[in-house]
Amino acid sequence: MGAAGAASERLRLTLWRTLRAAVATSPLALLVGSPSLDAGVLAEDRADALYHSYDGGGVEVNGPSILVRKGDNKQISGSLNYYVDSISSASVDVITQGSPYSEKRTEWSGSVDYLHADTTMTAGYTYSNESDYQANTFNFSISQSMFGELTTVTLGYSRGFDDISSNVDPAVDESADHQNYHVSLSQVLTKNLLLSLNYDAITDEGFLRNPYRHVYVLDDPNDPNSLANFNTPERYPSTRTSNALSANFLYYLPYRASLKLGYRYYADDWDISAHTVDLRYTHPLGGRWLFDIGARYYQQTHADFYADLFQRPDQQNFMARDKELSEFQDYSVGFGITYNLLKKPRGFIDKATLNFNYDRVWFKYDDFSDVSGGGLPAQAPLYEFDADVMRFYGSIWY
Amino acid sequence: MRHSGQLIVILGMVALSACSGVEPWVKPYERAHLADPIMNFSRNPVSDNFGSHVYQVREGARGAEGGHGGGWGCK
């Protein structure tokens, strides 16, 4: 979980603790129910086993994710996550510039939370490995609860070191470093409304492009009937600095349901700016079912060195034809279902759930053409695709 | 980086200057709704991390995912 998510969960658990203390001797205690959150403001002890699946644009990705968290109920809590992406790709880039491939990425991450009074410190490490990319990331954050436990401020820093190679060109032996400065604020605004503000400044330095991708360049810019080729590798700047700021509201509706509204603004020195809006509605039914429905919209401008077609191989210092750097929009709708397996704690298990989530995502590109059939962008359709994203998982709390 | 440093300093100053004499405006006995599990920005981290990852690898923007992780410490 990111620092913001962890802070928001700790804030909720802190509120539970103060509420429990306030009503412990009153009839309201019966209404609140049996408390099982004895971990104070440390995150709850739980384990999740998830299977994920993505299918869209000729790319299929699936695999497991296992997350286990355990603490001493007082000061220390640790978590371990194992995650796999099994990738089978015949994307539009692969079809136009290469041949379909299969790949596997494995990620291990671990973190330790240490709680002292109203302060929580977290240190973590993540290792990601695939045949042509290894990444080591270290992170540290500190969260402070204040103002009668209605406010939590989190500061975080992470540093990543990547090694990049190529499965087709043994000469590629590159590296990239990443730094991320994070600050977030979780705030109780009223007895029904929460606010989460998040800011990230990220800097990247080193080899930032994909070693397999090429730009599309005219064979002869002086020939009006010229075709184009993918013979020129992309050229990227060696640094990138970005800023992202988001505001998220979570509102408790009068009939026990919640509504989340989020907005994020993003800008970087590659000239990409982006807006993201997302909405989620959560509705419990009976004592054992929980339903979520949600929608998300995203749009971005293109990087200043991106083009669908270049006139010459040396047209400019930096040249890219990565559709993630083009101008595009995507939007998604989805739902989630959670079923609580236990009416009451059994053995060492306090709670157990089965969960299913499904999202459908549509991507529409404004200046990235589908030239897989040959020809120039002017004669080719603008690229678009949709994707099915699923998650099935079980969770237990203990 | 300079901007992030400035923001952190400003937030710190605001926090320190307001530390004394603030009365909690939502009393402990008024926190039942906020303590409900449905009032959680990230109810299931393992699922939300995957959801963030799906968008991170297909969009130019990154960071400030808001309430769920992936944006920092997961690059």
Side-chain angles (χ1 to χ4, degrees):
Chain A
M1 183 177 351
S8 125
E9 171 65 359
R10 283 195 294 269
L11 176 63
R12 190 186 68 77
L13 294 177
T14 302
L15 294 169
W16 175 275
R17 190 188 62 184
T18 56
L19 168 72
R20 198 179 52 181
V23 302
T25 56
S26 80
L28 187 59
L30 297 173
L31 188 66
V32 172
S34 173
S36 60
L37 307 174
D38 289 333
V41 295
L42 286 170
E44 297 168 285
D45 292 346
R46 65 182 284 183
D48 303 84
L50 174 141
Y51 173 79
H52 61 83
S53 165
Y54 171 94
D55 185 355
V59 178
E60 292 179 26
V61 186
N62 54 55
S65 179
I66 311 289
L67 177 63
V68 177
R69 174 173 282 281
K70 184 76 181 83
D72 69 350
N73 283 349
K74 294 175 184 169
Q75 285 193 304
I76 291 181
S77 172
S79 74
L80 194 63
N81 184 210
Y82 170 71
Y83 177 94
V84 174
D85 278 334
S86 294
I87 304 157
S88 168
S89 179
S91 69
V92 63
D93 280 347
V94 166
I95 287 172
T96 51
Q97 301 184 38
S99 52
Y101 67 91
S102 294
E103 175 72 283
K104 183 178 178 182
R105 184 177 77 89
T106 305
E107 182 180 294
W108 287 94
S109 61
S111 71
V112 176
D113 293 350
Y114 175 72
L115 169 69
H116 178 73
D118 293 329
T119 305
T120 305
M121 286 166 277
T122 301
Y125 169 69
T126 300
Y127 174 68
S128 171
N129 181 47
E130 54 194 307
S131 63
D132 51 6
Y133 209 105
Q134 288 78 46
N136 292 277
T137 305
F138 303 86
N139 64 75
F140 178 78
S141 69
I142 183 165
S143 288
Q144 177 71 38
S145 175
M146 57 186 79
F147 306 144
E149 298 176 323
L150 298 180
T151 302
T152 302
V153 174
T154 302
L155 302 177
Y157 173 75
S158 79
R159 183 83 192 261
F161 306 92
D162 301 353
D163 292 315
I164 304 116
S165 57
S166 165
N167 292 327
V168 297
D169 182 1
V172 176
D173 180 16
E174 304 284 353
S175 64
D177 291 357
H178 311 280
Q179 294 191 79
N180 191 332
Y181 298 83
H182 171 88
V183 58
S184 63
L185 173 78
S186 293
Q187 180 66 57
V188 173
L189 294 177
T190 73
K191 62 183 180 180
N192 291 313
L193 183 60
L194 293 174
L195 167 67
S196 171
L197 293 174
N198 302 273
Y199 171 74
D200 278 302
I202 302 174
T203 62
D204 310 293
E205 188 169 0
F207 189 84
L208 305 181
R209 70 177 176 89
N210 180 327
Y212 305 106
R213 191 180 292 113
H214 295 68
V215 291
Y216 205 34
V217 182
L218 281 177
D219 293 331
D220 181 357
N222 298 316
D223 178 0
N225 298 316
S226 171
L227 296 177
N229 63 77
F230 280 107
N231 296 332
T232 307
E234 290 186 316
R235 290 197 297 273
Y236 277 29
S238 60
T239 61
R240 182 183 187 184
T241 300
S242 63
N243 292 277
L245 182 66
S246 73
N248 301 275
F249 294 90
L250 187 58
Y251 184 66
Y252 188 96
L253 295 162
Y255 50 90
R256 196 184 174 224
S258 68
L259 188 64
K260 182 210 165 198
L261 175 65
Y263 169 77
R264 176 181 67 169
Y265 175 72
Y266 170 89
D268 65 29
D269 62 357
W270 288 3
D271 232 14
I272 295 174
S273 62
H275 302 275
T276 311
V277 179
D278 70 290
L279 192 66
R280 184 188 73 200
Y281 174 74
T282 301
H283 191 109
L285 199 63
R288 305 180 76 164
W289 293 93
L290 200 56
F291 295 93
D292 292 295
I293 55 172
R296 181 181 185 274
Y297 176 75
Y298 172 87
Q299 69 164 87
Q300 72 172 53
T301 60
H302 62 213
D304 55 8
F305 54 93
Y306 170 88
D308 206 6
L309 177 70
F310 289 92
Q311 301 295 306
R312 299 184 310 279
D314 58 351
Q315 181 175 327
Q316 55 199 49
N317 286 342
F318 303 120
M319 301 164 71
R321 194 178 179 271
D322 178 357
K323 64 182 184 299
E324 278 82 58
L325 302 186
S326 72
E327 181 168 312
F328 71 93
Q329 308 91 46
D330 66 69
Y331 51 98
S332 65
V333 294
F335 68 88
I337 301 171
T338 295
Y339 179 68
N340 191 345
L341 292 166
L342 302 179
K343 283 184 176 175
K344 57 183 181 181
R346 182 175 296 177
F348 70 95
I349 299 175
D350 297 325
K351 180 183 165 188
T353 62
L354 283 178
N355 312 265
F356 176 75
N357 288 77
Y358 171 81
D359 292 286
R360 180 125 179 127
V361 194
W362 292 266
F363 293 84
K364 286 181 176 292
Y365 296 85
D366 295 334
D367 55 4
F368 179 83
S369 302
D370 180 1
V371 294
S372 56
L376 299 180
Q379 291 108 39
L382 289 172
Y383 186 58
E384 59 181 59
F385 73 99
D386 47 57
D388 297 304
V389 184
M390 286 184 277
R391 283 155 274 183
F392 179 71
Y393 58 105
S395 308
I396 59 171
W397 285 256
Y398 43 86
Chain B
M1 283 317 84
R2 198 179 57 195
H3 294 302
S4 66
Q6 289 170 345
L7 188 62
I8 290 167
V9 170
I10 291 168
L11 271 175
M13 290 174 65
V14 169
L16 288 174
S17 66
C19 263
S20 57
V22 173
E23 285 290 317
W25 53 94
V26 178
K27 304 295 183 194
Y29 55 83
E30 295 177 317
R31 299 177 186 181
H33 291 172
L34 300 173
D36 192 308
I38 66 171
M39 290 297 283
N40 191 340
F41 284 104
S42 178
R43 213 169 59 239
N44 295 297
V46 71
S47 174
D48 293 335
N49 286 352
F50 168 73
S52 294
H53 177 64
V54 165
Y55 292 114
Q56 276 170 16
V57 298
R58 292 170 184 87
E59 296 175 344
R62 65 261 171 90
E65 265 76 7
H68 52 80
W72 82 281
C74 297
K75 295 300 290 181

